[in-house]
Amino acid sequence: MLKVNLAAELRRYLKAQVRTGRYQNESELVRDAIRQMQQQEVEQFERQFAGYPGSPEGEPTPDDERAINTAIKAHRENRRRKRAA
């Protein structure tokens, strides 16, 4: 079980969505919201990298994520070194 503290405004929103009948309960709404977030991440990844030769298709694999994070860290380190020089 996961417990989440929400601001009053978000709690009211969740309850209102359930009252409309769109969702059976708050858990269903949260699961749907997380699935939508995951889908948005995939779509954003595809928009950013789809045009690059050799870029992966679909959801990034753990290897893709590691490579991306490594590239980001290297970029930040290079930028930090240039500023320090």
Side-chain angles (χ1 to χ4, degrees):
M1 172 182 263
L2 174 70
K3 290 187 176 194
V4 178
N5 293 321
L6 299 173
E9 180 180 330
L10 290 175
R11 283 194 309 272
R12 283 191 299 272
Y13 179 78
L14 261 65
K15 290 181 185 303
Q17 291 298 304
V18 172
R19 276 195 307 271
T20 66
R22 183 172 180 192
Y23 298 95
Q24 291 184 358
N25 55 50
E26 288 91 355
S27 293
E28 185 181 312
L29 186 151
V30 171
R31 284 190 297 272
D32 186 46
I34 292 170
R35 281 190 292 272
Q36 288 181 36
M37 288 172 57
Q38 289 174 321
Q39 182 61 36
Q40 287 174 351
E41 288 177 357
V42 169
E43 290 170 0
Q44 181 181 10
F45 180 84
E46 289 174 348
R47 279 193 305 273
Q48 289 178 334
F49 297 104
Y52 291 100
S55 67
E57 292 185 21
E59 189 168 349
T61 65
D63 287 340
D64 295 331
E65 290 178 4
R66 280 190 291 277
I68 291 166
N69 287 333
T70 299
I72 290 169
K73 287 177 185 175
H75 173 76
R76 288 178 178 162
E77 182 62 29
N78 287 336
R79 202 169 53 188
R80 190 171 31 248
R81 285 184 190 146
K82 287 180 183 178
R83 285 188 205 144

